[in-house]
Amino acid sequence: MRIKIVYILLLALAFASCSEYNRILKNPDLELRYTYAKRFFEEGRYNRSIALLEDLVRFFAGTVHAEESLFLLAQSYYNSRDFVSATRVFTQYYTTFPSGQFVESAMFYSAYGMYLASPDPRLDQTNTYLAITEFQRFIDRFPQTERAQQAISYLFELQEKLAYKELRSARLYLNLGNFMGNNYESAVITAREAMRSYPFSIHMEDYQMVILRARYQFATNSALHMQPERFRMVVDEYYNYRNMFPEGQFMSEAERYYREATARIAELPTT
């Protein structure tokens, strides 16, 4: 019985709270609504502060509350983990108030929100590209700040994610082989483009090895009259690998391809 009474009291309190909140939403007193929006924000009730602020920022445009209310809305979205909306409003803030009180924080968290929203490398990387753009914009604007070093670190991390995505794509083409076309050449092109785009990536050796494997497998699966030329390409890529990574982790595999390629070149007739 006591539990039932407590449950009823909790329901009554919740209903009263909702009724009060609905009255605040409809109240024509903007100052009162703004006071409650800030209170909800401080209490961590971000959905309520968002609902109030989304309406209030339109009325506050050009007033003394315009800057603070817009930044508070962005923070509310960020704290509710709606990072896409947070970045949208943070960007709106630093675009509207380029010399504003909170511009450094707005620019940093605009980028960091997208960093947190950046998905697994297997998925679409739109948020990753946006995060990189925003971090670069922050670094350009605030190069000497403590946050700039954080931004650079996050920037490199995001670029490595994109580099790894390209490596996955190159490996996929390699594994597809001659299925429905020459995927070996696609593997080579993808790996080369990645090397140009991410020259400092930790995956550089992997890229070059994908190229060598693709050349070797393509030559092996080619018609006899095409093999001499294609095995010579294997030899060329072996030397590229050896020159770039003389102590490379795949050196024994690379040397095996080289030996087989030179042997095949020697024994096959040339055209």
Side-chain angles (χ1 to χ4, degrees):
M1 183 66 178
R2 181 176 297 175
I3 294 175
K4 186 175 181 180
I5 291 172
V6 171
Y7 179 70
I8 292 171
L9 287 173
L10 288 173
L11 280 177
L13 286 171
F15 180 76
S17 176
C18 288
S19 297
E20 180 190 19
Y21 173 62
N22 288 329
R23 285 197 298 271
I24 294 165
L25 281 174
K26 298 174 183 177
N27 196 302
D29 187 336
L30 300 181
E31 292 291 340
L32 177 67
R33 285 157 63 187
Y34 190 41
T35 298
Y36 271 95
K38 290 190 284 187
R39 179 187 298 178
F40 289 141
F41 178 84
E42 293 298 327
E43 293 173 352
R45 301 159 82 177
Y46 302 117
N47 288 336
R48 291 192 172 189
S49 63
I50 289 168
L52 287 165
L53 289 165
E54 277 287 7
D55 192 42
L56 287 170
V57 293
R58 296 186 297 109
F59 292 107
F60 284 160
T63 73
V64 293
H65 296 313
E67 181 180 347
E68 183 187 58
S69 62
L70 189 59
F71 185 70
L72 195 62
L73 175 60
Q75 286 185 302
S76 296
Y77 275 124
Y78 179 86
N79 290 342
S80 69
R81 302 191 67 79
D82 182 352
F83 299 121
V84 173
S85 296
T87 292
R88 172 179 58 81
V89 183
F90 278 130
T91 302
Q92 182 183 350
Y93 171 87
Y94 70 68
T95 302
T96 307
F97 305 102
S99 301
Q101 179 182 355
F102 313 107
V103 69
E104 180 182 337
S105 292
M107 293 188 74
F108 181 82
Y109 284 105
S110 174
Y112 189 63
M114 287 295 94
Y115 165 83
L116 294 176
S118 175
D120 184 277
R122 293 171 294 182
L123 303 176
D124 177 75
Q125 295 300 305
T126 298
N127 288 347
T128 304
Y129 286 110
L130 182 56
I132 289 172
T133 299
E134 291 296 315
F135 275 129
Q136 190 60 63
R137 184 175 288 132
F138 177 83
I139 294 164
D140 291 343
R141 177 75 186 274
F142 300 101
Q144 303 301 323
T145 62
E146 182 178 340
R147 282 174 171 164
Q149 296 305 311
Q150 292 178 278
I152 291 169
S153 177
Y154 292 135
L155 191 63
F156 287 155
E157 183 181 339
L158 292 166
Q159 288 175 333
E160 282 300 330
K161 178 181 284 190
L162 296 178
Y164 180 61
K165 184 177 179 66
E166 291 305 302
L167 178 60
R168 285 177 56 87
S169 297
R171 285 172 171 169
L172 176 61
Y173 284 126
L174 177 63
N175 292 335
L176 286 172
N178 282 322
F179 179 71
M180 298 183 69
N182 179 8
N183 292 293
Y184 295 120
E185 188 62 27
S186 297
V188 170
I189 292 171
T190 302
R192 287 204 196 287
E193 284 297 320
M195 293 176 81
R196 281 192 284 268
S197 298
Y198 309 105
F200 304 107
S201 172
I202 60 174
H203 302 298
M204 285 291 286
E205 183 178 355
D206 296 285
Y207 294 142
Q208 184 57 40
M209 201 59 199
V210 165
I211 294 170
L212 178 54
R213 288 171 182 149
R215 291 299 191 206
Y216 173 79
Q217 292 180 30
F218 186 45
T220 302
N221 290 295
S222 295
L224 283 177
H225 71 282
M226 298 296 295
Q227 287 188 7
E229 176 187 355
R230 290 173 181 175
F231 275 118
R232 280 192 286 272
M233 296 172 74
V234 174
V235 172
D236 290 342
E237 295 303 341
Y238 161 75
Y239 282 118
N240 284 338
Y241 176 82
R242 192 182 72 174
N243 290 336
M244 293 175 67
F245 309 100
E247 304 296 329
Q249 60 178 316
F250 307 112
M251 185 58 73
S252 60
E253 180 186 353
E255 288 176 342
R256 176 167 59 84
Y257 295 148
Y258 171 74
R259 289 192 300 269
E260 293 184 23
T262 52
R264 294 293 287 162
I265 292 169
E267 68 187 30
L268 288 167
T270 57
T271 56

